[in-house]
Amino acid sequence: MRVCILVESYYPRVGGTPSQARLLASDLLAAGHEAVVVTRRWDRTHAGREIVDGTEVIRVGPIGRGSSKKWLMLPRVLPLLLRLPRYDLIFCPGLRVLGAAAVLAARWRGVPCVLRPVSCGEMSGAFFADGLKRAGLGLSAWPVRLALGLRNAILRRAESFVAISADIADELARSGVSASQIARIPNGVDEAVFRPASPAEKAQRRAALGVRPEERLVVYTGRLVTYKGLPGLLKVWERVARDFPAGRLVLVGGGGNDMANCEAELRAFCLARGLGERVRFTGDVPAVAPWLQAADLFVFPTQNEAFGISLIEAMACGLPVVST
């Protein structure tokens, strides 16, 4: 079987969805199948076409950051999907932008389409609430209701939906997706990578990451976005840092291309409150396991979560977890 994986970002971009898509492509290859990945060319240094781990990766524009770029990818990706050589199935993780293009191409080509929401509110539209609010709109505005209605009518034509949690399965059902179309498949964690470190390994990890032996390391992993509760976390950490001089908070990840990106806001807060030595920003990293294996505590103040794989990764590393 030849599977087309349509995903907005892919290696060398980091993050949960691109990492899972890369693992899926590798596992398909190991099982005797083929995959072709269609994604966005985030940077001019990324090849427009190359082989990654034995899988063909095709990148289309527009190049660069900015939340509008993923929407501008749509008119370029649909013609490409229609003219690609043979594929037997389209799989699209993250349906809020590319899902409709995947379904339309699949219907045209006469192949099945499988969609997997990666966040709560992708189907209902609640995911877009913050971005619409900034534009002076709400989910009840008639242009928004019309656009969502048309998009969802297309999305419901997909053969199957993968629901990574009960909440997403319920949301799909409320949006008119039949029970026979929904498969409950939770995210998984590679326990060969995410595992407790021995005392010696932990000391090595901390030294390599510039963590002093006396520091109590509190780690968050994930995107730096408002709905992860990070502005509130920093307000709390200001008080914690005052009472516990050995505590150090590390935010592992970047704001990315999300409409709710709050990285600049978080950095400005730390600068204004004199927390520069007590809060560390790593930016995007190729692997989060070393940070988890170096940590003493994991904190995850999320307000809205589809699955929370960061929690599972931290638990697999043997960390105590504080979360909502």
Side-chain angles (χ1 to χ4, degrees), residues 3-322:
V3 177
C4 176
I5 300 174
L6 176 62
V7 62
E8 202 255 329
S9 57
Y10 195 74
Y11 178 85
R13 294 289 300 173
V14 297
T17 300
S19 297
Q20 289 179 5
R22 186 183 181 191
L23 288 170
L24 175 61
S26 295
D27 284 354
L28 283 168
L29 191 64
H33 304 292
E34 290 181 64
V36 55
V37 175
V38 176
T39 188
R40 189 161 77 80
R41 191 179 177 193
W42 280 68
D43 192 281
R44 294 188 186 280
T45 61
H46 300 167
R49 204 178 194 115
E50 66 175 334
I51 303 297
V52 177
D53 306 326
T55 294
E56 183 181 18
V57 178
I58 303 170
R59 298 186 180 90
V60 301
I63 299 171
R65 294 176 176 268
S67 59
S68 64
K69 295 290 195 302
K70 55 189 173 186
W71 298 99
L72 294 173
M73 177 184 176
L74 278 172
R76 307 185 188 202
V77 80
L78 188 55
L80 173 62
L81 292 174
L82 296 180
R83 69 174 184 266
L84 267 182
R86 179 192 66 87
Y87 52 86
D88 305 296
L89 182 145
I90 296 180
F91 173 64
C92 181
L95 53 84
R96 55 185 178 264
V97 177
L98 298 176
V103 175
L104 290 172
R107 303 293 293 186
W108 182 271
R109 298 287 294 260
V111 301
C113 178
V114 178
L115 301 178
R116 188 190 71 179
V118 297
S119 301
C120 293
E122 289 190 59
M123 194 77 178
S124 69
F127 180 88
F128 304 107
D130 286 345
L132 290 169
K133 186 176 180 180
R134 292 194 196 100
L137 294 170
L139 288 172
S140 60
W142 74 262
V144 177
R145 287 189 286 110
L146 178 62
L148 277 175
L150 290 173
R151 188 206 63 161
N152 286 1
I154 296 171
L155 295 179
R156 286 192 291 268
R157 304 288 297 276
E159 272 66 27
S160 281
F161 290 79
V162 174
I164 59 177
S165 68
D167 282 349
I168 286 197
D170 291 344
E171 180 187 333
L172 290 170
R174 290 194 304 271
S175 300
V177 178
S178 69
S180 62
Q181 290 174 276
I182 303 171
R184 282 286 306 279
I185 307 175
N187 288 329
V189 167
D190 185 349
E191 292 179 301
V193 175
F194 295 95
R195 58 175 179 79
S198 69
E201 287 176 316
K202 184 172 182 175
Q204 290 171 352
R205 294 288 197 207
R206 290 170 71 93
L209 296 170
V211 180
R212 295 188 296 272
E214 70 276 9
E215 287 183 315
R216 291 296 186 188
L217 196 62
V218 179
V219 167
Y220 160 89
T221 62
R223 283 174 295 169
L224 304 189
V225 289
T226 53
Y227 55 82
K228 297 287 188 180
L230 298 174
L233 172 62
L234 287 189
K235 290 176 184 177
V236 172
W237 185 253
E238 185 178 13
R239 292 156 53 191
V240 172
R242 183 174 61 242
D243 296 336
F244 297 91
R248 191 177 190 192
L249 175 65
V250 180
L251 303 180
V252 180
N257 209 33
D258 199 291
M259 289 186 293
N261 183 336
C262 65
E263 183 173 356
E265 172 192 338
L266 300 177
R267 290 179 180 271
F269 181 90
C270 290
L271 183 64
R273 301 304 179 98
L275 292 173
E277 294 299 315
R278 306 300 300 279
V279 180
R280 179 172 175 180
F281 293 83
T282 68
D284 289 332
V285 298
V288 300
W291 282 104
L292 295 174
Q293 291 170 336
D296 299 296
L297 177 73
F298 183 78
V299 62
F300 199 63
T302 185
Q303 298 169 354
N304 182 349
E305 201 67 30
F307 183 86
I309 197 168
S310 296
L311 285 172
I312 314 301
E313 291 170 345
M315 290 176 177
C317 290
L319 284 176
V321 167
V322 177

